[in-house]
Amino acid sequence: MSKLTFARAINAGLRKSLENDPKVILMGEDIGSLGGVFRVTDGLQKDFGKHRVIDSPLAESGIIGTAVGLAYRGYRPVCEIQFDGFIYPAFDQIVSQVAKMHYRTQGRVKMPITIRVPFGGGIGSPEHHSESPEAYFTHTSGLRVVAVSNPQDAYTMIQQAIASDDPVLYFEPKRRYHDKGDVDESIDLSQAMPLDKAAVVNAGSDVTLVAYGPLVKTAKAAAQAAADEGISVEVIDLRSLSPVDYPVVEASVRKTGRLVITHEAGQNGGLGAEIAASITERCFNYLESAPVRITGFDVPYPYSKLEMHHLPDLDRILDGVDRTLGRHNSLSGLEG
Amino acid sequence: MQNDAPRPGQSAQNPLRTGGNLLQLVSPEGERISHPEFDLWIKDIGDEQLGSLFEDMTVIRRIDTEATALQRQGELALWPPLLGQEAAQIGSSRSLRDDDFVFPSYRESGVAYIRGAHVSEIAQVWRGNALYAWDPQRINMATPQIIIGSQSLHATGYAMGVQLDGASTAVLAYFGDGATSEGDVSEAMVFAASFQAPVVFFCQNNHWAISEPVRVQSHVQLADRPTGFGIPSLRVDGNDVLAVMAATRWALDRARSGGGPTFIEAVTYRMGPHTTADDPTRYRDPNELEDWAAKDPILRLRRLLDAKGLLTEELEGRVKAKADAVAAELRTSCVNMPDPQPLDVFNHVYSTPNSWIERQKDHYSRYLSSFNQPVEEGAL
């Protein structure tokens, strides 16, 4: 067991994948001698060579489009999109090519492509550096979408994503890159929790709180604060955003009767809406109150002096918890 | 193929600046035009090979005619005709080795035929029976690509993989004049040049991107554009099968021997509509069609064969019989093609199980079965 930062844990996972499979290659902007703008690929080009850790031209569609060709040739490309807001030029290649090639060819051509995306806000960045574009991709069949919340998952899930024969969008919460945690580097991947499973990270009985990526830490802190007030919150780290592991969420909601979902992305058409609808369909008779979403606002990601208002924090989440419990909250007295 | 042929790049004629030079080895009147360098790339093409090229071009024109008829009869939902582009497709595809890999757009039905796709596999896509046509790994040709220019990046990535493997395979990407406006084609040229990938960009400039003339796509000749990326280019008469073949062989050889990417602009003409849903009389001057009909690629080869005394009854009869047989096979396999099954819609979205899709498949399966169950009056 070693103590690693989130960024080092991903680095160690990438290293292991490069060592284990000569078909794994990394591609992205500035990932070579610089080691990536967040240093996630630090030292990998030095150790594995420029042919396996490739500094690509500054062209996102080109990075993903050439990865499609490399996958066609039998490689397992791991692409880094430098920042969440830079993924849009690659959107067409991701949703029209990467996602559909397996279906288009009736399973004859696999796309084992991993797309790493540092995502989310909270680091005081300029425009286009703090977005949460995950819903665009969870809406696209053929893609698997995951978001990691701790160094151990970061380490194992990057390897699982690379080993997956399906394309995986791997969202990394950039404001947690420097958080440290225990990482068991000897973990047997076949024994580890599968890529598409959700984890109950805090047991509770009054309210189910669903979070992923950067907000898992916030959700756990909120559960702790709620516990101080005698409210028992069960926190679920989704891990997989597509598909969502509904059996785990269902089991929790059947127990608690209440559901709060939180994410940094805007509310409209977001993953919270999908989870609220799906759980309502599946657990209607168990619900004591309507599901509540605590999310970013439906605004462009704001300038950084205002981002802490935009991002769900502990108190906004607790306010949502209070709403499901019928306790006094900021919307008390409002109809609908 | 003549590997000892001199490289045009090493000659006085610099391929980086092709400008208005159009490589032509056969005139529209069917006269053989000699060229000091490119002749060497086709010196193995004797009488028999000329007859075989004539056969291939005639067969793919016949496939095109039959498919268009099948569309008009409601057997195909849509068809993108290749009429007029036979020399470009045959000349380029007949230059490939089996281990080369092709990334086509949607109009390369003739190329698919040459690569070994069955005509039913070609028809399947346009009938709507499957998104895929053929097994890409079997014939070393990717499935048709509808998004304009996307495949130029796939070809470049594949070529980068070839380089990593240390193989001597070349990769050929087909796209049209309209695609040169797409960012992906420019990005493909950036990647190909930066990594010196063994890819040949084969642009069939057929003059029309649906209703938009090529002048809307580019202010310079298309063959001049790659030079800005550091990629040598050639501008060839796309209706001259020998010129297309010489240019493609040269470029493929260059790719295989570590010379990097090449761009070929095959100047041709789409004599039919963009697809069977299109009406070119709304945007195209009939005189233009007439001018290009005089440059018809099959007519040109016939004239050459005739001048050489090769256009025999035997050849004509053999070619017609072959074309008729392929057309009959296309028709029979098309009209007898079984419909896909309803639950097939859920297959192959992922290579590993996905709980959401399995649930939807299960629910839809129950729904479909419910039609087979008796319903009691008054039952809930």
Side-chain angles (χ1 to χ4, degrees):
Chain A
M1 194 72 78
S2 42
K3 205 87 167 163
L4 294 180
T5 63
F6 216 106
R8 292 305 302 177
I10 302 171
N11 181 279
L14 290 169
R15 176 176 290 278
K16 198 130 194 181
S17 296
L18 283 161
E19 278 166 3
N20 290 345
D21 186 350
K23 292 293 183 189
V24 172
I25 53 172
L26 272 50
M27 265 208 308
E29 299 160 7
D30 307 302
I31 68 167
S33 49
L34 181 67
V37 293
F38 293 105
R39 312 293 183 264
V40 172
T41 53
D42 188 26
L44 297 177
Q45 189 183 64
K46 186 172 140 289
D47 294 343
F48 293 94
K50 286 186 173 175
H51 60 295
R52 295 197 64 199
V53 180
I54 302 167
D55 270 328
S56 73
L58 266 73
E60 285 77 12
S61 188
I63 294 170
I64 305 299
T66 51
V68 169
L70 282 158
Y72 237 111
R73 181 75 191 175
Y75 283 86
R76 307 186 87 85
V78 184
C79 303
E80 176 178 301
I81 296 294
Q82 196 162 68
F83 281 94
D84 35 51
F86 305 170
I87 201 168
Y88 306 116
F91 191 73
D92 169 56
Q93 284 290 344
I94 297 172
V95 304
S96 298
Q97 306 299 335
V98 175
K100 296 193 171 92
M101 199 64 82
H102 192 262
Y103 194 67
R104 178 180 297 145
T105 61
Q106 296 283 288
R108 286 163 170 151
V109 179
K110 298 199 189 313
M111 287 285 121
I113 298 174
T114 302
I115 302 171
R116 293 183 35 242
V117 191
F119 87 124
I123 63 165
S125 283
E127 219 183 350
H128 312 299
H129 288 68
S130 304
E131 311 214 343
S132 299
E134 60 272 19
Y136 296 117
F137 302 104
T138 59
H139 193 64
T140 301
S141 300
L143 302 175
R144 288 182 181 272
V145 183
V146 302
V148 287
S149 71
N150 62 78
Q152 179 70 64
D153 274 356
Y155 174 76
T156 48
M157 287 169 75
I158 189 65
Q159 294 178 69
Q160 290 170 320
I162 294 168
S164 167
D165 276 343
D166 290 315
V168 180
L169 273 108
Y170 179 93
F171 282 100
E172 303 168 4
K174 67 172 90 76
R175 65 166 141 151
R176 307 293 184 211
Y177 271 141
H178 302 298
D179 286 5
K180 279 193 173 171
D182 288 333
V183 177
D184 176 5
E185 291 187 62
S186 65
I187 192 166
D188 181 351
L189 285 188
S190 62
Q191 303 299 314
M193 183 180 267
L195 200 56
D196 56 2
K197 289 292 167 213
V200 176
V201 292
N202 191 72
S205 54
D206 295 332
V207 181
T208 298
L209 173 58
V210 171
Y212 57 86
L215 289 185
V216 172
K217 185 178 180 180
T218 316
K220 281 163 82 174
Q224 183 59 53
D228 294 344
E229 293 183 45
I231 302 165
S232 173
V233 176
E234 179 145 296
V235 179
I236 294 175
D237 177 359
L238 275 188
R239 299 170 84 254
S240 176
L241 313 187
S242 180
V244 164
D245 183 5
Y246 280 113
V248 166
V249 185
E250 274 176 66
S252 177
V253 171
R254 285 186 183 163
K255 183 171 65 174
T256 64
R258 296 174 180 86
L259 175 63
V260 175
I261 310 137
T262 186
H263 53 62
E264 292 189 8
Q267 191 168 88
N268 188 28
L271 199 55
E274 183 55 41
I275 292 170
S278 292
I279 289 299
T280 303
E281 280 177 359
R282 296 172 191 229
C283 306
F284 182 70
N285 292 330
Y286 295 85
L287 284 168
E288 302 285 345
S289 69
V292 164
R293 290 167 288 165
I294 304 296
T295 68
F297 302 119
D298 290 319
V299 299
Y301 195 86
Y303 28 101
S304 59
K305 288 283 188 198
L306 286 181
E307 69 179 338
M308 287 310 170
H309 289 281
H310 175 72
L311 296 170
D313 62 7
L314 182 149
D315 288 320
R316 272 177 68 196
I317 292 172
L318 287 177
D319 192 60
V321 168
D322 285 342
R323 221 180 295 164
T324 63
L325 286 163
R327 285 161 52 107
H328 181 76
N329 66 80
S330 64
L331 300 184
S332 293
L334 260 188
E335 284 288 325
Chain B
M1 175 142 344
Q2 303 303 305
N3 287 320
D4 56 345
R7 305 274 184 277
Q10 295 163 353
S11 72
Q13 183 197 358
N14 180 2
L16 283 172
R17 291 297 308 170
T18 52
N21 296 339
L22 191 69
L23 174 66
Q24 202 175 58
L25 300 180
V26 182
S27 76
E29 292 73 35
E31 282 169 79
R32 183 71 173 79
I33 303 163
S34 70
H35 189 285
E37 288 131 19
F38 283 100
D39 277 355
L40 294 166
W41 288 94
I42 52 158
K43 72 178 183 192
D44 60 319
I45 304 294
D47 294 351
E48 197 182 318
Q49 286 78 12
L50 279 180
S52 154
L53 290 169
F54 176 61
E55 176 184 304
D56 285 344
M57 287 166 67
T58 307
V59 169
I60 69 166
R61 178 166 290 188
R62 188 78 174 79
I63 290 173
D64 194 59
T65 312
E66 195 69 21
T68 302
L70 285 163
Q71 193 281 331
R72 297 301 184 222
Q73 291 156 8
E75 296 292 344
L76 295 180
L78 190 75
W79 177 254
L82 57 80
L83 183 70
Q85 298 180 218
E86 293 86 353
Q89 294 203 10
I90 295 300
S92 56
S93 58
R94 285 280 302 265
S95 302
L96 292 158
R97 281 195 330 217
D98 283 352
D99 67 322
D100 292 334
F101 208 98
V102 174
F103 286 86
S105 80
Y106 45 81
R107 204 182 295 283
E108 280 70 58
S109 307
V111 176
Y113 170 75
I114 294 299
R115 293 301 277 170
H118 191 270
V119 279
S120 65
E121 293 175 319
I122 296 169
Q124 216 165 14
V125 184
W126 305 105
R127 189 169 167 89
N129 279 43
L131 295 180
Y132 78 102
W134 46 82
D135 180 351
Q137 317 294 7
R138 183 176 72 79
I139 66 168
N140 274 4
M141 177 167 176
T143 51
Q145 191 56 252
I146 306 278
I147 300 288
I148 303 297
S150 256
Q151 72 279 11
S152 59
L153 279 169
H154 307 167
T156 304
Y158 191 98
M160 289 162 65
V162 167
Q163 266 180 324
L164 289 170
D165 292 342
S168 70
T169 300
V171 185
L172 187 65
Y174 286 95
F175 50 84
D177 42 303
T180 61
S181 298
E182 291 280 0
D184 275 0
V185 172
S186 287
E187 292 191 21
M189 287 198 275
V190 171
F191 274 70
S194 295
F195 298 111
Q196 286 296 288
V199 59
V200 176
F201 298 115
F202 191 89
C203 173
Q204 291 178 81
N205 174 4
N206 70 11
H207 284 80
W208 290 92
I210 308 188
S211 70
E212 295 190 0
V214 66
R215 67 176 177 275
V216 175
Q217 315 298 336
S218 184
H219 192 62
V220 296
Q221 284 188 344
L222 299 180
D224 280 344
R225 192 171 279 174
T227 60
F229 294 91
I231 296 178
S233 68
L234 283 167
R235 191 160 185 267
V236 305
D237 186 330
N239 286 12
D240 170 356
V241 71
L242 293 185
V244 172
M245 196 167 220
T248 315
R249 282 176 163 193
W250 170 70
L252 289 169
D253 183 68
R254 220 180 145 263
R256 289 193 199 100
S257 52
T262 309
F263 185 105
I264 296 172
E265 178 191 357
V267 182
T268 181
Y269 193 75
R270 187 193 83 212
M271 291 167 77
H274 162 65
T275 68
T276 44
D278 174 37
D279 175 10
T281 63
R282 294 172 74 100
Y283 55 82
R284 205 157 70 172
D285 182 344
N287 294 328
E288 187 182 284
L289 183 60
E290 205 176 302
D291 290 348
W292 278 94
K295 300 181 207 168
D296 184 298
I298 297 185
L299 182 62
R300 184 178 313 193
L301 189 54
R302 285 181 69 91
R303 285 171 173 161
L304 178 68
L305 289 166
D306 201 18
K308 290 168 82 75
L310 299 170
L311 198 63
T312 60
E313 257 181 51
E314 190 275 327
L315 177 68
E316 294 229 65
R318 177 159 55 86
V319 166
K320 185 178 182 308
K322 172 78 177 182
D324 285 348
V326 173
E329 201 171 359
L330 170 61
R331 173 167 291 275
T332 310
S333 60
C334 183
V335 297
N336 294 324
M337 201 176 286
D339 281 346
Q341 295 303 301
L343 292 181
D344 288 349
V345 75
F346 298 103
N347 292 345
H348 304 299
V349 183
Y350 294 87
S351 60
T352 47
N354 177 287
S355 54
W356 291 359
I357 291 176
E358 282 177 358
R359 181 179 157 100
Q360 289 185 356
K361 184 177 183 178
D362 176 52
H363 287 192
Y364 192 57
S365 170
R366 287 161 187 265
Y367 169 76
L368 291 176
S369 325
S370 70
F371 289 96
N372 302 325
Q373 288 161 5
V375 179
E376 283 177 40
E377 269 315 302
L380 282 177

